[in-house]
């Protein structure tokens, strides 16, 4: 049985299948017909109502989609078939034809016909009849004046000249009006600046000096603060054993160290911590240093447990 192959309908062989072929391969012919039709018309998903005449018209079109889109856009903008038909009689460049039109006016035109309205000659207008002829119509001053009416503060003279008239103004506080001149009748007013507290004002208008010396306020030193004259300093020190410094101290004889309680340095010793190389649970404080001077406040708390003496962080306060 003869069976051609192909992708589109132009590949189909009208002679297949032969009349002597059996039915065993008929399904192959049917599938080939379906596939070539679908490949040839892949975007047809609705009925096609165009006639053969409609389709044959497209065969004679030599443009492209841009040409069709251009016409579609002009039609959407309001271009009618009648207007488009005017181009059928155009035989040369349209702009060149317009430039070649000669003006034929009805009546005699002179420069005075186009003079300004206040010269007494008036204005005019030209009308074109689409046949190469222009008609001039003169507009007189009375026509102009009749087209407008003067509102508030507006004047129109006999020649149709429009201008503003004098408006009425009233002077407010500190303002004077003379003719069209508006002036400040109360310039250079006295300005008074008064100092208060630690602030003082000196100088005269327009130059003033404002100074502040806060020397009448009393300041008091709080915890960890020292005031000497105008200098405010912190009492906390980084020197070991000095007032304001911290240290880890222990009492090898006391049973309890209470936080916030003050202790004499003679009853305390500088301390640290010891542990084995494997950091086992036998870590303990070593209270074997020297005793510091002064009075110290406990910043923590500790109780004596069995044979272990208490130690914590202290702050020297005096």
């Amino acid at each position: 049985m003869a069976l051609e192959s192909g992708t589109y309908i132009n590949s189909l062989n009208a002679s297949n299948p032969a009349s002597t072929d059996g039915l065993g391969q008929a399904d192959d012919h049917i599938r080939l017909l379906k596939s070539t039709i679908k490949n040839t018309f892949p975007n047809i998903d609705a009925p096609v109502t165009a006639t053969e005449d409609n389709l044959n018209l497209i065969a004679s079109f030599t443009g492209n989609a841009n040409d069709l889109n251009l016409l579609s856009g002009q039609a959407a903008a309001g271009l009618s078939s009648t207007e488009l038909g005017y181009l059928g009689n155009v035989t040369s460049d349209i702009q060149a034809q317009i430039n070649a039109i000669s003006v034929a006016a009805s009546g005699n035109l002179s420069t005075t016909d186009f003079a300004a309205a206040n010269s007494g000659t008036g204005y005019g207008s030209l009308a074109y009849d689409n046949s190469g002829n222009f008609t001039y119509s003169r507009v007189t001053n009375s026509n102009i004046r009749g087209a407008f009416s003067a509102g508030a503060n507006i004047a129109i003279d006999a020649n149709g000249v429009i201008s503003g008239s004098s408006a009425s103004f009233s002077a407010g506080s500190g303002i004077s009006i003379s003719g069209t001149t508006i002036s400040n009748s109360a310039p250079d007013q006295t300005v008074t600046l008064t100092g208060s507290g630690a602030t003082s004002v000196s100088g005269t208008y327009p130059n003033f000096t404002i100074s502040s010396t806060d020397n009448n306020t009393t300041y008091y030193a709080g915890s960890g603060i020292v005031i000497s004259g105008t200098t405010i300093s912190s009492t906390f020190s980084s020197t070991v054993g000095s007032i304001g410094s911290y240290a880890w101290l222990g009492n090898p004889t006391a049973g309890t160290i209470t936080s916030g309680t003050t202790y004499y340095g003679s009853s305390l010793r500088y301390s640290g911590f010891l542990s084995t190389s494997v950091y086992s649970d036998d870590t303990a404080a070593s209270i074997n240093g020297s005793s510091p001077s002064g009075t110290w406040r406990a910043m923590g708390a500790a109780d004596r447990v069995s044979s272990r003496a208490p130690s914590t962080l202290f702050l020297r306060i005096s």
Side-chain angles (χ1 to χ4, degrees):
M1 177 180 291
L3 176 63
E4 69 273 32
S5 62
T7 303
Y8 305 106
I9 58 176
N10 65 334
S11 302
L12 296 177
N13 187 343
S15 300
N16 289 332
S19 59
T20 57
D21 290 341
L23 295 177
Q25 208 174 10
D27 58 327
D28 294 329
H29 286 280
I30 294 174
R31 278 191 293 272
L32 179 62
L33 287 173
K34 287 183 176 182
S35 65
T36 54
I37 292 173
K38 291 181 65 66
N39 289 337
T40 303
F41 304 102
N43 298 319
I44 301 300
D45 55 3
V48 178
T49 59
T51 66
E52 71 277 7
D53 292 332
N54 298 143
L55 296 177
N56 289 334
L57 286 175
I58 298 176
S60 61
F61 178 66
T62 59
N64 53 34
N66 291 333
D67 298 326
L68 296 176
N69 291 335
L70 176 61
L71 290 176
S72 175
Q74 293 301 317
L79 179 65
S80 67
S81 58
T82 300
E83 294 169 329
L84 189 61
Y86 291 152
L87 299 177
N89 297 322
V90 175
T91 58
S92 63
D93 182 85
I94 295 177
Q95 187 61 53
Q97 294 184 58
I98 294 175
N99 294 340
I101 294 175
S102 61
V103 177
S106 60
N108 298 320
L109 300 180
S110 65
T111 56
T112 58
D113 292 317
F114 298 94
N118 57 11
S119 67
T121 57
Y123 289 107
S125 63
L126 291 176
Y128 181 59
D129 64 2
N130 293 323
S131 298
N133 299 312
F134 287 88
T135 302
Y136 176 74
S137 300
R138 182 176 177 180
V139 180
T140 64
N141 292 334
S142 60
N143 297 138
I144 296 176
R145 289 194 301 274
F148 297 93
S149 61
N153 301 323
I154 296 296
I156 303 177
D157 66 12
N159 293 317
V161 177
I162 302 174
S163 60
S165 63
S166 299
S168 177
F169 297 93
S170 60
S173 176
I175 297 297
S176 64
I177 301 176
S178 177
T180 58
T181 302
I182 301 176
S183 305
N184 180 2
S185 61
D188 301 330
Q189 294 295 301
T190 301
V191 177
T192 302
L193 299 177
T194 304
S196 177
T199 301
S200 62
V201 180
S202 61
T204 58
Y205 178 85
N207 300 311
F208 295 93
T209 300
I210 301 176
S211 305
S212 179
T213 56
D214 192 2
N215 54 10
N216 58 355
T217 302
T218 302
Y219 296 92
Y220 299 93
S223 176
I225 298 296
V226 174
I227 300 176
S228 177
T230 58
T231 303
I232 302 176
S233 306
S234 172
T235 61
F236 295 105
S237 173
S238 61
T239 302
V240 176
S242 63
I243 296 175
S245 64
Y246 288 87
W248 192 272
L249 304 175
N251 190 332
T253 61
T256 300
I257 296 177
T258 304
S259 60
T261 303
T262 57
Y263 297 85
Y264 292 112
S266 58
S267 66
L268 303 172
R269 292 178 179 273
Y270 287 109
S271 305
F273 283 88
L274 298 173
S275 67
T276 65
S277 60
V278 295
Y279 304 104
S280 61
D281 192 42
D282 61 356
T283 300
S286 173
I287 310 175
N288 295 316
S290 59
S291 295
S293 302
T295 301
W296 297 74
R297 176 177 289 116
M299 306 303 289
D303 291 327
R304 188 181 188 93
V305 178
S306 184
S307 62
R308 297 188 177 187
S311 65
T312 189
L313 182 67
F314 281 82
L315 167 65
R316 183 175 177 180
I317 58 175
S318 64

